[in-house]
Amino acid sequence: MKKTRNLLLLMGILALAAVSTSCGESGKASSGTTAAAAASDQGGSEAQGKTEKAGEEKSSEVKTMSGADLQALEDDKDKKETALVIDVRSPEEYAEGHVKFAVNMPLDTLKDRLGELEPWKDKTLILYCNSGKKSGEAAKLLAENGFKDVRNADGVKQYDYKLVKYGNITGEELMKKKDEADLIVDVREAKDYEKDHFDKAVNVSVDKLSDLDSLLPENKDALILTHCYSGNRSQKAAEYIADKGYTNVWNTLDGTKEMEYSFH
């Protein structure tokens, strides 16, 4: 009887040990599963964070633009105010003939001039060259630097644009060039000219551009700047002067309606 009790006691101890071991292993597995799940969740969060960050830094898509659409925009005095057109060819190619309201920013200098385009970060920028190759590179550069609406237009060898030979500058460039100019042509109304104007400025009506004939310098390479309210009247004056053989004529795209000038 004593042996039987001892045997039963031993069997109970062994059974209890087995249960204890089983519970320990089960607890360990549960802990491991929880840790793995936590690691998975953390990894998932990190991956999601990286995806969101990549989404934030993703470049905007460069759009294409036909030559016909660009020419139509240039011919519309109101629509041309909604975009900045950039000729990324060399200064020599630009001088030989360019789209009417385009400014010149050669591809090899564009990266260093991005700050000048900051006001256009959320507006439309249209680029072109001869074939679309250089302007495509320039458009990609702008898109990668956060410019939202960048368009690559047909080049001058792909579309028969109405090309002009005077240059275009921004209002800031006018302020830098005004002191070295040989002549500034103010095409605003006489009443506004009389209120205030730049030194070296003469006033002419857009309807009487022939009045300029007696005011133009003899030197065909003289620096001549034109400006008005929005760049439209002054564009006509610049074209009139360039057609007379003057080679250093610059129209100001930013008029007094768009920029507050300090005339002195």
Side-chain angles (χ1 to χ4, degrees), residues 24-123:
E25 290 175 350
S26 176
K28 184 176 181 181
S30 176
S31 175
T33 302
T34 302
S40 176
D41 289 344
Q42 182 179 1
S45 298
E46 290 177 354
Q48 183 179 0
K50 289 179 180 178
T51 301
E52 290 174 354
K53 185 176 181 181
E56 291 172 359
E57 295 175 351
K58 185 178 179 181
S59 300
S60 60
E61 181 181 355
V62 174
K63 304 171 186 175
T64 58
M65 188 175 196
S66 70
D69 285 343
L70 174 52
Q71 186 64 65
L73 182 143
E74 291 285 86
D75 289 341
D76 189 313
K77 67 177 183 179
D78 294 320
K79 287 185 179 180
K80 66 94 174 171
E81 299 290 333
T82 65
L84 179 64
V85 182
I86 303 174
D87 185 324
V88 300
R89 298 176 300 159
S90 69
E92 292 76 20
E93 291 172 309
Y94 178 81
E96 288 175 2
H98 57 84
V99 173
K100 185 162 57 174
F101 289 106
V103 296
N104 186 215
M105 290 187 173
L107 175 60
D108 57 2
T109 67
L110 186 59
K111 188 173 183 179
D112 296 327
R113 300 181 65 181
L114 293 179
E116 297 177 38
L117 297 174
E118 196 66 25
W120 290 88
K121 202 98 180 189
D122 298 315
K123 301 178 183 179

Side-chain angles (χ1 to χ4, degrees), residues 11-247:
M11 291 175 64
I13 292 171
L14 290 174
L16 181 62
V19 171
S20 175
T21 301
S22 175
C23 290
E25 290 175 350
S26 176
K28 184 176 181 181
S30 176
S31 175
T33 302
T34 302
S40 176
D41 289 344
Q42 182 179 1
S45 298
E46 290 177 354
Q48 183 179 0
K50 289 179 180 178
T51 301
E52 290 174 354
K53 185 176 181 181
E56 291 172 359
E57 295 175 351
K58 185 178 179 181
S59 300
S60 60
E61 181 181 355
V62 174
K63 304 171 186 175
T64 58
M65 188 175 196
S66 70
D69 285 343
L70 174 52
Q71 186 64 65
L73 182 143
E74 291 285 86
D75 289 341
D76 189 313
K77 67 177 183 179
D78 294 320
K79 287 185 179 180
K80 66 94 174 171
E81 299 290 333
T82 65
L84 179 64
V85 182
I86 303 174
D87 185 324
V88 300
R89 298 176 300 159
S90 69
E92 292 76 20
E93 291 172 309
Y94 178 81
E96 288 175 2
H98 57 84
V99 173
K100 185 162 57 174
F101 289 106
V103 296
N104 186 215
M105 290 187 173
L107 175 60
D108 57 2
T109 67
L110 186 59
K111 188 173 183 179
D112 296 327
R113 300 181 65 181
L114 293 179
E116 297 177 38
L117 297 174
E118 196 66 25
W120 290 88
K121 202 98 180 189
D122 298 315
K123 301 178 183 179
T124 302
L125 291 172
I126 303 170
L127 300 95
Y128 75 90
C129 59
N130 285 323
S131 64
K133 182 178 179 180
K134 286 185 176 180
S135 54
E137 293 178 33
K140 181 180 178 182
L141 173 66
L142 292 178
E144 290 174 345
N145 280 274
F147 290 86
K148 306 301 182 185
D149 186 4
V150 184
R151 307 182 187 192
N152 184 23
D154 287 338
V156 297
K157 292 184 178 180
Q158 298 170 303
Y159 185 81
D160 187 20
Y161 291 106
K162 302 173 187 176
L163 302 181
V164 299
K165 293 193 174 182
Y166 60 84
N168 291 298
I169 57 175
T170 64
E172 291 183 359
E173 290 177 294
L174 169 62
M175 295 304 293
K176 293 177 183 177
K177 291 177 175 287
K178 67 181 180 64
D179 292 332
E180 61 184 273
D182 294 287
L183 181 67
I184 298 177
V185 178
D186 187 328
V187 200
R188 296 178 299 159
E189 293 182 12
K191 61 183 179 62
D192 293 317
Y193 172 83
E194 290 167 3
K195 286 180 182 177
D196 209 354
H197 56 265
F198 290 112
D199 295 336
K200 303 179 183 178
V202 297
N203 183 229
V204 295
S205 168
V206 69
D207 298 320
K208 295 182 179 180
L209 292 177
S210 59
D211 289 348
L212 279 171
D213 294 351
S214 61
L215 302 172
L216 294 173
E218 292 183 9
N219 180 9
K220 295 291 186 178
D221 295 323
L223 175 58
I224 302 174
L225 310 178
T226 68
H227 82 98
C228 63
Y229 299 110
S230 62
N232 291 312
R233 298 183 185 192
S234 55
Q235 174 270 321
K236 293 180 180 179
E239 187 170 27
Y240 179 87
I241 298 168
D243 285 346
K244 289 188 169 296
Y246 287 86
T247 61

